[in-house]
Amino acid sequence: MKYNRCGELSVIGMSGCESFAGQVDYYLKEWRRHGGDESFIVSAECPRFGSGEGKAIIHESMRGKDVYILCDMFNYGVTYKMYGQPVPMSPDDHYADLKRTIAAIGGKARRLTVIMPMLYEGRQHRRSGRESLDCAMMLQELVGMGVSNILTFDAHDPRICNAIPLAGFDNVRPAYQMIKALTRAVPDVQIDKDHMVIISPDEGAMSRSIYYSSVLGVDIGMFYKRRNYSVIVNGRNPIEAHEYLGQDLHGKDAIIVDDMISSGDSMLDVCKQLKEKGAERVFCFATFGLFTDGLEKFDAAAKENVFDKVFTTNLIYRRPELATRDWYVEVNLCKYVAYLIDTLNNDESISTLLNPIKRIQTLMNKHRNALNAQVEKKD
């Protein structure tokens, strides 16, 4: 097949993204080079001096190429030596390396796209008092350096795109992949109004929960957080309680939909309340699983049957031990990202990839037919 490309495709995997970029490269080679050995991955690195200072080096020319940079701002599994001591890379370190890499390209690329699954400082998206607007500043800085398009997944607040109204910004929701993973991990799950309900854990997650509710044709419920605004703990006002608003849950499975699991305290509290209110099984959908306080509290909650499964994507770093947990299901997005890159590189619209309603409907029909076949087989 002949491709009309904007430029020769090149993919750069930043520190910590090497494995993900390698899987993306696998699909691109299969589709374009029929399994050939020639890779689309660019040889690049960001070495550090002993003082902690760094630089970026690109080992091949980027002139006239269509470059896609994959970066994980939250991969603390990557370390560097500073004054002889190992230092885990912070989001600030990763962002500095991203800028160094763009600077090393030196404006020679024909088009530059940054794929940043979880936005750097995405939770600092609005101002409350004398605060910095870090995410907006980051987006403007990247565009000022020559980035023409930014792809992110399940942005904490999609309205952050208003910071760069004249540049490309695509917010991707992995709804289809999440639902597909659920039907595979839990083959007997029944997704209809009589057996399923979508739960928003707070007001901020309502838009994504409404989306799931609409495409699946099921009811929705929500919790709202009652915070103590007289106290600040770890930079935030602590949550005193979660209050439920919605229909009766007895006999129904519940899917909690959120963009991330940070410490997990809020998610587990919501799970516990859902079980107390009569939910049969509770499944957690979170695009990004940070698990900042470790996995012990989830292990304990799983033993107490507080929840049944947690689904997160492989778009950011996961603790290696997470894969050993029976309650965890990883949702692989490598092929989806490869589709996005392949389509964009050919100057085609990604609208159908961003709107997976037809694919979800096809998946639901296939799943219902499989359930009906099982029932008929038992009869």
Side-chain angles (χ1 to χ4, degrees):
M1 182 179 294
K2 184 177 180 180
Y3 290 89
N4 296 316
R5 303 177 183 173
C6 179
E8 183 182 344
L9 175 59
S10 297
V11 178
I12 296 177
M14 298 296 296
S15 297
C17 288
E18 295 87 352
S19 176
F20 190 95
Q23 293 184 59
V24 170
D25 184 51
Y26 167 80
Y27 288 110
L28 293 173
K29 289 191 296 184
E30 284 291 310
W31 300 334
R32 295 191 171 193
R33 293 174 176 166
H34 307 289
D37 294 331
E38 189 177 356
S39 174
F40 292 101
I41 300 293
V42 173
S43 178
E45 60 178 323
C46 290
R48 296 271 175 165
F49 298 101
S51 61
E53 300 167 288
K55 65 177 179 180
I57 305 173
I58 309 289
H59 295 289
E60 55 189 273
S61 173
M62 294 291 98
R63 187 177 297 277
K65 294 187 178 181
D66 192 8
V67 182
Y68 295 81
I69 303 179
L70 297 168
C71 52
D72 178 6
M73 301 290 104
F74 299 86
N75 193 330
Y76 60 92
V78 180
T79 62
Y80 62 90
K81 286 287 186 72
M82 185 168 70
Y83 294 97
Q85 300 181 28
V87 179
M89 288 188 69
S90 69
D92 291 342
D93 291 324
H94 283 292
Y95 180 51
D97 277 358
L98 172 61
K99 291 191 291 182
R100 292 183 177 110
T101 301
I102 295 172
I105 294 173
K108 302 300 189 299
R110 183 171 298 179
R111 184 169 59 185
L112 185 56
T113 300
V114 169
I115 301 177
M116 186 186 296
M118 187 172 178
L119 280 179
Y120 171 74
E121 297 291 0
R123 284 186 282 183
Q124 190 54 27
H125 58 95
R126 62 185 177 185
R127 176 172 285 156
S128 177
R130 299 184 184 90
E131 295 181 349
S132 57
L133 288 173
D134 297 51
C135 192
M137 292 169 59
M138 177 271 295
L139 293 175
Q140 291 183 355
E141 190 170 18
L142 292 183
V143 171
M145 296 182 71
V147 175
S148 58
N149 195 36
I150 297 171
L151 264 71
T152 191
F153 284 74
D154 214 349
H156 194 66
D157 188 342
R159 292 172 296 182
I160 194 64
C161 68
N162 294 334
I164 48 171
L166 300 181
F169 182 94
D170 292 300
N171 180 41
V172 187
R173 284 180 173 171
Y176 169 73
Q177 289 78 10
M178 285 288 194
I179 298 168
K180 186 176 181 180
L182 173 64
T183 58
R184 286 183 173 179
V186 190
D188 65 337
V189 66
Q190 298 187 60
I191 305 177
D192 55 49
K193 279 193 173 183
D194 297 328
H195 301 92
M196 178 68 70
V197 62
I198 299 295
I199 300 294
S200 174
D202 54 38
E203 309 93 303
M206 272 302 291
S207 62
R208 60 179 65 89
S209 297
I210 290 172
Y211 180 82
Y212 275 91
S213 172
S214 300
V215 299
L216 295 177
V218 301
D219 292 325
I220 188 172
M222 74 162 287
F223 285 81
Y224 69 90
K225 296 176 180 178
R226 191 170 74 244
R227 294 182 180 272
N228 184 350
Y229 288 97
S230 65
V231 179
I232 296 178
V233 178
N234 294 328
R236 308 180 69 184
N237 303 109
I239 300 168
E240 292 188 334
H242 290 91
E243 305 291 345
Y244 175 68
L245 298 174
Q247 299 179 353
D248 181 62
L249 297 173
H250 284 85
K252 293 185 177 181
D253 292 335
I255 300 177
I256 305 171
V257 180
D258 210 349
D259 59 333
M260 73 177 74
I261 295 175
S262 185
S263 67
D265 291 334
S266 296
M267 183 70 78
L268 291 177
D269 186 40
V270 169
C271 291
K272 185 177 181 180
Q273 290 200 46
L274 290 174
K275 288 282 186 169
E276 291 173 351
K277 295 180 186 301
E280 287 288 328
R281 293 178 293 188
V282 176
F283 307 111
C284 304
F285 282 9
T287 306
F288 308 111
L290 301 177
F291 301 101
T292 57
D293 289 353
L295 304 178
E296 290 75 14
K297 63 179 68 176
F298 280 85
D299 291 335
K303 289 181 180 179
E304 296 172 6
N305 198 32
V306 171
F307 68 93
D308 293 86
K309 294 286 184 182
V310 172
F311 297 78
T312 74
T313 72
N314 66 333
L315 291 168
I316 64 170
Y317 176 75
R318 287 91 55 222
R319 295 168 179 264
E321 60 268 28
L322 187 60
T324 66
R325 297 320 200 250
D326 293 334
W327 48 263
Y328 177 69
V329 179
E330 180 177 284
V331 182
N332 193 320
L333 270 293
C334 293
K335 190 173 184 178
Y336 189 29
V337 171
Y339 274 131
L340 291 168
I341 292 175
D342 184 59
T343 305
L344 288 172
N345 180 234
N346 286 291
D347 273 349
E348 297 175 357
S349 172
I350 60 173
S351 297
T352 55
L353 291 173
L354 298 180
N355 186 7
I357 291 178
K358 290 185 179 180
R359 282 178 289 153
I360 292 175
Q361 291 174 344
T362 301
L363 174 65
M364 288 298 92
N365 290 333
K366 183 178 179 181
H367 180 64
R368 293 189 184 102
N369 292 336
L371 288 177
N372 292 335
Q374 289 180 4
V375 173
E376 292 176 359
K377 187 176 181 180
K378 289 181 180 179
D379 294 339

